[in-house]
Amino acid sequence: MEPRPFDPLTRTRTEVTEPYGYFTDLDSGHVLHGGEIRPAYALGAPTPLEVWRRNLEIVTAILTAAGVDFFAVPGFSLTRPVLGAAAADRQRVCTALAMLCESTGGRLSVPEPAFRESELGLSKPEWARRADMGDVPLVRASWLWTDPGRDLLFGPDYGCDVEFWTETGDGHLLAPRHNRISPVVRQSGARVSAPGRLFTALAGGAHADLPHLPTRTEFARPGPDHVGFPVDVVYTWVDGADHAWRRRRADADHSPYHAESDNDARYVDREELRFSLRSLHLNAPWVRHVYLITDRQRPHWLEEGPGLTVVDHRDLFDDPDALPTFNSHAIETQLHRIEGLSEHFLYFNDDMFVGRPVGPQMFFEPNGLARFFPAQTFIDMDPVSRADSPPNAAFKNDRALIDRAFGRTVSRMMKHVPYPLQRSVLAEMEKEFDEEMERTAQSAFRDVTDVSAVTLQHYYAYLSGRAVSGQAQDAYVELGMPDVAERLELLLERRDRETFCINDAGLPPELVEERSALMQRFLEAYFPVASPWEKGLAL
């Protein structure tokens, strides 16, 4: 690979505790990081994948200049590239990297090896069997990267590891820790080139391609944990302040059965979509394409271009007589009709965000099974009635269909986490439950007879062997919560949630302006890097 220039860039000074955090108390100078004064190098629009690539390019360039033979290793980390080198080259590697870090403000450290012996049932490598632990098994070279506004900091958790592989005496090299494929390679094995996407699950999307990397034959093909199929994202969005849309809604014949069926708050746009797209671009660059479903609207800031397509309701609904619709349940019955949509896709509400780098394996098994994320919220077993809120009524109707199809009873709602769906399952459900799906599609406003195609798909796929239960480090925040400011501050400080949702449930009218401004400040601080789909920034 051709390394990019490593030039001195804008620097700032602050106290930083997280490797991927945000700056406060800005001043000119350097960054005080872990007790060290170090330069922070600014990138125009940094992302975890871009920093992964930058650090890798820097280290591979210096090893090449030092005449060290190295190979890419499929490590466990999403954000840290890993290279392997023969233990005989340890001194050359350490000397070259130490000189580079000293001259550029980088840091060379020795991370704790992560050889998971108890989990894998493997023997300890040779260095770990010695009383003094032998020579260092690996080193990590890292630099501090930031954005021009000095809001994000990418630190040691994005550094490049260089492992020192030892000779076994039988023609193999042994790793100092395990990786996703094999702890041993043939010592005389040929050096080959392999796609960069094999070495981090962050890569794979249309805008996330990496160059080929030198590696060994053992690592040149994907392992069983690699997701090789495309994953798209679908959003539904509405701007309730649009006058033309409001006229269509006023002209629609409706008499809401429940206060939540046609509540104005459901249609308020606080530009959450802008920041949700930023979170997707930043932390899930493996997404192939984004589809935004709207009703003759589009956000004023949106730049439709490569990787994003706006889909109008008129191009989505099979029956034009069902339009206009103001019912999310109705729209969700039609998602599988999106032209060009991949079999596996994620359905986002615009108040859902990806909080830190995640791989597609969080949402889909490599063999194609979808994951779903049951909440601890249980719905009562009483028959559906007009006293039920629209979400609860839809769940009860879903439960009746699941009982009819599989003889099983379900009672748990889903977490507010992006929903992994399969296009073929939705199409199959449309035939299996044709009357219920069609009736929902025809409901212009949420009705007591609706089904929720999303919740129904999760349980239908699970009970037909096409989905499994998953785990997510998530957060759910309501703007109406008394402690919402503290909850958002904690999210911003820790940045440890894989996904989070900020819902306007329970927000009293007198607090709308204050809480909306609070949410806007939070989102701007958390996601300061614009996505490619904002005007003036198209790819």
Side-chain angles (χ1 to χ4, degrees):
M1 296 182 300
E2 289 297 324
R4 295 191 175 189
F6 191 71
D7 299 325
L9 300 167
T10 306
R11 298 170 182 180
T12 184
R13 178 178 181 152
T14 185
E15 189 79 29
V16 179
T17 57
E18 290 295 316
Y20 172 23
Y22 63 99
F23 285 110
T24 57
D25 303 325
L26 294 180
D27 193 3
S28 60
H30 292 67
V31 175
L32 178 61
H33 188 272
E36 301 176 79
I37 300 295
R38 299 173 59 192
Y41 292 84
L43 298 172
T47 66
L49 185 61
E50 171 68 5
V51 172
W52 187 97
R53 187 168 65 86
R54 289 270 184 157
N55 284 337
L56 178 67
E57 288 177 343
I58 292 167
V59 174
T60 56
I62 197 66
L63 295 186
T64 299
V68 174
D69 184 31
F70 60 88
F71 52 93
V73 177
F76 289 105
S77 173
L78 285 173
T79 59
R80 286 192 303 274
V82 181
L83 300 174
D89 289 324
R90 179 187 289 110
Q91 190 61 49
R92 274 198 296 169
V93 170
C94 291
T95 299
L97 289 176
M99 293 177 62
L100 177 65
C101 289
E102 183 177 359
S103 63
T104 59
R107 181 185 179 189
L108 190 64
S109 60
V110 182
E112 181 181 352
F115 192 91
R116 302 189 293 180
E117 173 194 0
S118 60
E119 296 179 24
L120 299 165
L122 300 170
S123 299
K124 291 183 179 180
E126 182 179 353
W127 62 267
R129 293 198 296 267
R130 292 172 50 178
D132 60 357
M133 298 297 285
D135 296 315
V136 292
L138 69 154
V139 292
R140 178 172 301 160
S142 63
W143 291 264
L144 301 181
W145 300 91
T146 184
D147 63 299
R150 304 165 177 94
D151 295 301
L152 291 177
L153 183 69
F154 300 85
D157 210 35
Y158 294 78
C160 180
D161 289 355
V162 182
E163 301 176 340
F164 302 115
W165 291 51
T166 57
E167 297 182 17
T168 62
D170 62 355
H172 292 85
L173 294 175
L174 177 66
R177 59 182 177 180
H178 202 62
N179 56 64
R180 290 186 287 111
I181 301 294
S182 174
V184 293
V185 297
R186 291 184 297 277
Q187 188 172 355
S188 59
R191 196 184 199 216
V192 298
S193 180
R197 66 177 182 275
L198 299 184
F199 302 96
T200 173
L202 287 181
H207 309 299
D209 287 338
L210 295 173
H212 277 55
L213 301 175
T215 189
R216 294 299 186 100
T217 304
E218 292 87 345
F219 302 142
R221 297 182 66 82
D225 62 343
H226 179 76
V227 172
F229 47 81
V231 178
D232 292 341
V233 162
V234 175
Y235 284 94
T236 50
W237 177 83
V238 64
D239 177 9
D242 176 52
H243 294 297
W245 179 89
R246 291 176 70 88
R247 283 194 297 271
R248 291 195 294 274
R249 176 185 169 204
D251 292 342
D253 181 20
H254 71 287
S255 52
Y257 89 92
H258 192 280
E260 293 183 19
S261 291
D262 189 27
N263 191 317
D264 284 343
R266 296 189 56 249
Y267 309 117
V268 173
D269 174 37
R270 298 183 177 88
E271 292 201 359
E272 296 99 326
L273 177 63
R274 179 200 292 262
F275 295 98
S276 185
L277 284 171
R278 287 186 181 189
S279 80
L280 202 65
H281 171 67
L282 191 71
N283 293 321
W286 40 265
V287 168
R288 183 188 70 165
H289 201 89
V290 176
Y291 294 93
L292 176 62
I293 300 175
T294 71
D295 180 13
R296 286 174 271 181
Q297 297 179 320
R298 64 181 59 200
H300 67 89
W301 49 264
L302 185 72
E303 186 75 58
E304 186 176 2
L308 187 145
T309 300
V310 176
V311 180
D312 191 82
H313 288 184
R314 294 168 295 181
D315 299 322
L316 182 66
F317 275 72
D318 182 50
D319 182 2
D321 291 337
L323 299 175
T325 188
F326 309 90
N327 181 1
S328 59
H329 290 153
I331 298 167
E332 290 161 7
T333 66
Q334 307 295 304
L335 298 182
H336 60 289
R337 298 183 182 280
I338 297 174
E339 185 177 352
L341 180 67
S342 60
E343 163 65 10
H344 300 84
F345 68 98
L346 300 175
Y347 174 51
F348 273 67
N349 301 138
D350 63 4
D351 59 1
M352 294 176 175
F353 307 88
V354 185
R356 71 180 191 186
V358 298
Q361 294 86 350
M362 176 181 170
F363 304 103
F364 295 100
E365 291 280 357
N367 60 6
L369 298 182
R371 297 186 188 275
F372 65 101
F373 306 97
Q376 293 302 315
T377 306
F378 291 83
I379 302 303
D380 67 73
M381 305 301 292
D382 295 336
V384 65
S385 75
R386 300 182 73 83
D388 287 313
S389 67
N392 288 10
F395 184 90
K396 289 183 177 182
N397 293 328
D398 290 346
R399 176 161 59 205
L401 296 182
I402 291 296
D403 182 59
R404 188 177 83 192
F406 300 101
R408 302 293 183 92
T409 298
V410 297
S411 59
R412 293 173 66 181
M413 295 282 275
M414 296 297 151
K415 287 186 174 184
H416 291 266
V417 170
Y419 307 111
L421 303 177
Q422 295 139 302
R423 193 177 184 182
S424 61
V425 175
L426 286 171
E428 184 177 318
M429 283 168 36
E430 183 181 41
K431 296 178 180 178
E432 178 75 16
F433 310 120
D434 55 342
E435 291 184 10
E436 293 82 3
M437 296 282 276
E438 183 178 356
R439 182 169 57 241
T440 301
Q442 294 288 336
S443 298
F445 298 89
R446 294 196 292 179
D447 192 78
V448 71
T449 63
D450 284 355
V451 296
S452 170
V454 171
T455 301
L456 185 60
Q457 132 101 47
H458 289 318
Y459 283 118
Y460 187 92
Y462 174 64
L463 292 170
S464 60
R466 286 169 285 184
V468 293
S469 179
Q471 298 289 329
Q473 293 180 302
D474 65 298
Y476 176 73
V477 179
E478 294 182 351
L479 290 179
M481 291 174 169
D483 62 345
V484 62
E486 290 78 8
R487 288 173 180 265
L488 293 179
E489 183 179 358
L490 194 62
L491 274 177
L492 188 61
E493 177 184 350
R494 293 182 175 177
R495 294 179 179 262
D496 62 348
R497 300 294 91 182
E498 292 169 323
T499 73
F500 59 86
C501 175
I502 305 177
N503 197 280
D504 58 9
L507 181 59
E510 65 272 15
L511 292 179
V512 167
E513 186 174 344
E514 172 197 326
R515 298 292 171 84
S516 296
L518 175 67
M519 184 193 71
Q520 185 78 13
R521 291 194 301 271
F522 165 80
L523 291 175
E524 288 175 348
Y526 204 113
F527 303 113
V529 178
S531 78
W533 306 296
E534 297 181 37
K535 284 185 176 178
L537 295 166
L539 293 177

